[in-house]
Amino acid sequence: MNLKILVTAGDGIGPEVTGEAVAVLKEVAALGGHDFAFMEKRIGGVAIVEDGTPLPQDTLDAALASDAVLLGAVGGNEFNALPPDKRPEGGLLAIRAALGGFANLRPCFSFKELTVNSPLRPEVIEGTDILFVRELLGGAYFGKPREWNKETGTAFNTMIYRREEVARVARVAFELARQRRKKVTSVDKANVLEVSQLWRATVTEVAKEFPDVTLEHQYVDAMAMHILNRPRDFDVVVTENLFGDILTDESGVITGSLGMLPSATIGGKVDLYEPVHGSAPDIAGKGLANPLGAILTAGMILRLTAKLEAESAAIRSAVRKVLEQGYRTADLARGNREGVTVLSTREMGAKVRETVKEQLSAAGR
Ligand code: NAD
């Protein structure tokens, strides 16, 4: 299997966590005789400093020539005064738009060993396995017109969707639900917003193509509560860009740390993979970052782009095993250090790699 992966590590903890994810991918490639080629390019704050723009052209060109892009995270407090499109986050929005992926997949699952890390009760969250499908190219983040008029003291954004944009992401959600527990929950605010009424009508129409999948609708405010009260009731959750951004961060509470959540963006020219968390400037460079979200993201590359299902499953099961053995990064050990060994970013990466190797070797791969 040949795979060209562009690594855009970005800022803060981005290089630390992508470094561990790449090391796991290299281990998988070595064991299976696969040819994975890695290239590195700048994005975000580091690119603003070096190249004067958050998304340099050669990064974009390299991305478009790759099979997958693995992005760390972008952002830093020193860039906060810049206008939105000049900030590191502008680079992220621009690469997402250029690659054209419209369906952002964000799995949210609870590892038994981490339920004690969550402020939610273990018996409520244990067994949670939700796949969020967030629309990534539309809504208020991209809608025009948009403006902050400092003279008049007014600002506005435009939350806009076309029927086709809703239908294509809904189809992705229904297809994925077919491979899982066959339930889709569509989240909107159709009691207030016209854009949500279009969303609901379109998802309901698309559902007719998937009679074997159950569809339910939820309002986003109610859903924010349901996710915390009864997360096990949800299988695939499809929603628009802004609501998805918020609900998926909220779901980090179930997993125990934002540092555990992987994501993939599909449907465009090149698949884009990134852990859900940001650049975490508060812990950058200290070896405290949890690399498991980035490593699980590498697992998504193997499943979705490389179609190496067994290798992808080995990564998830290695993460589970390492947690079962009591290994934690600092974010996973808060208030619960008894019987656990706290590891640095690198040590955690090495443990997972070792376990992936054991598992794949035992399986004869
Ligand atoms: P954040 O996700 O960076 O951090 C939130 C909290 O979670 C922090 O306390 C951080 O230490 C912790 N955390 C996050 N990831 C962790 C990990 N892997 N291991 C251990 N702890 C982890 O969000 P923020 O603080 O709101 O934003 C910081 C910067 O990141 C900002 O500039 C923001 O714009 C940017 N950001 C970027 C992305 C992205 O690149 N995809 C996403 C969100 C935020």
Side-chain angles (χ1 to χ4, degrees):
M1 165 87 219
N2 292 348
L3 202 63
K4 274 194 277 182
I5 302 173
L6 177 71
V7 182
T8 50
D11 307 316
I13 62 169
E16 296 169 65
V17 298
T18 50
E20 298 312 317
V22 167
V24 171
L25 287 173
K26 285 184 174 165
E27 187 71 59
V28 168
L31 285 167
H34 304 295
D35 182 8
F36 292 177
F38 296 91
M39 189 190 281
E40 290 180 26
K41 292 284 176 189
R42 288 189 284 267
I43 195 168
V46 65
I48 293 175
V49 173
E50 296 288 329
D51 311 285
T53 168
L55 179 61
Q57 188 62 42
D58 75 320
T59 301
L60 187 52
D61 292 343
L64 289 167
S66 304
D67 299 308
V69 177
L70 174 62
L71 193 145
V74 298
N77 298 331
E78 62 274 40
F79 305 105
N80 286 352
L82 295 171
D85 60 327
K86 303 270 187 297
R87 288 171 58 155
E89 294 78 358
L92 185 57
L93 294 185
I95 198 169
R96 284 177 182 166
L99 297 185
F102 58 83
N104 181 221
L105 316 187
R106 295 187 171 196
C108 166
F109 33 79
S110 81
F111 286 100
K112 190 169 183 294
E113 294 68 30
L114 298 185
T115 53
V116 291
N117 281 80
S118 174
L120 302 172
R121 289 203 308 276
E123 67 269 27
V124 173
I125 58 176
E126 207 179 311
T128 297
D129 182 3
I130 305 174
L131 178 58
F132 286 94
V133 180
R134 168 188 169 196
E135 201 293 325
L136 203 65
L137 288 187
Y141 288 9
F142 289 97
K144 289 195 175 122
R146 55 192 296 160
E147 184 181 287
W148 178 11
N149 187 325
K150 291 185 180 159
E151 274 167 31
T152 59
T154 54
F156 60 86
N157 289 89
T158 303
M159 188 187 267
I160 183 166
Y161 272 104
R162 275 169 287 280
R163 201 171 36 234
E164 310 75 60
E165 290 172 316
V166 181
R168 65 184 185 176
V169 75
R171 281 196 187 93
V172 169
F174 281 100
E175 292 286 359
L176 289 164
R178 265 193 174 152
Q179 300 158 30
R180 295 169 47 99
R181 303 194 302 282
K182 298 190 171 50
K183 179 179 170 187
V184 168
T185 303
S186 173
V187 180
D188 59 42
K189 188 67 183 164
N191 49 345
V192 179
L193 302 173
E194 283 79 1
V195 63
S196 279
Q197 288 160 5
L198 170 85
W199 180 279
R200 187 172 285 221
T202 307
V203 175
T204 304
E205 201 52 39
V206 169
K208 292 179 187 156
E209 299 166 26
F210 300 86
D212 52 325
V213 178
T214 306
L215 168 67
E216 70 167 7
H217 298 280
Q218 292 287 350
Y219 295 131
V220 63
D221 41 354
M223 188 65 182
M225 282 193 307
H226 297 327
I227 285 176
L228 302 183
N229 282 328
R230 49 183 184 89
R232 274 195 301 262
D233 287 355
F234 302 102
D235 177 14
V236 174
V237 175
V238 63
T239 191
E240 66 89 49
N241 206 344
L242 171 61
F243 298 161
D245 194 358
I246 297 167
L247 292 180
T248 52
D249 263 27
E250 182 193 1
S251 71
V253 172
I254 294 169
T255 310
S257 166
L258 201 45
M260 291 298 298
L261 297 170
S263 89
T265 302
I266 61 171
K269 296 180 192 127
V270 179
D271 300 333
L272 175 64
Y273 295 86
E274 32 179 337
V276 169
H277 61 77
S279 60
D282 52 334
I283 57 165
K286 297 179 180 163
L288 292 175
N290 179 351
L292 296 178
I295 289 172
L296 291 166
T297 300
M300 293 186 85
I301 299 181
L302 294 178
R303 183 157 57 84
L304 297 168
T305 301
K307 313 287 182 213
L308 294 171
E309 184 60 46
E311 287 77 357
S312 174
I315 289 185
R316 190 150 152 182
S317 114
V319 168
R320 189 176 295 279
K321 193 155 183 209
V322 163
L323 294 171
E324 276 168 11
Q325 290 167 343
Y327 296 111
R328 304 280 187 274
T329 41
D331 56 308
L332 302 176
R334 269 185 214 124
N336 175 41
R337 296 198 173 220
E338 208 176 309
V340 310
T341 309
V342 180
L343 301 181
S344 70
T345 310
R346 283 193 170 179
E347 289 166 338
M348 181 56 101
K351 275 279 169 230
V352 175
R353 246 175 7 251
E354 213 176 275
T355 313
V356 166
K357 191 173 174 180
E358 276 165 24
Q359 300 209 340
L360 289 178
S361 307
R365 300 184 90 90

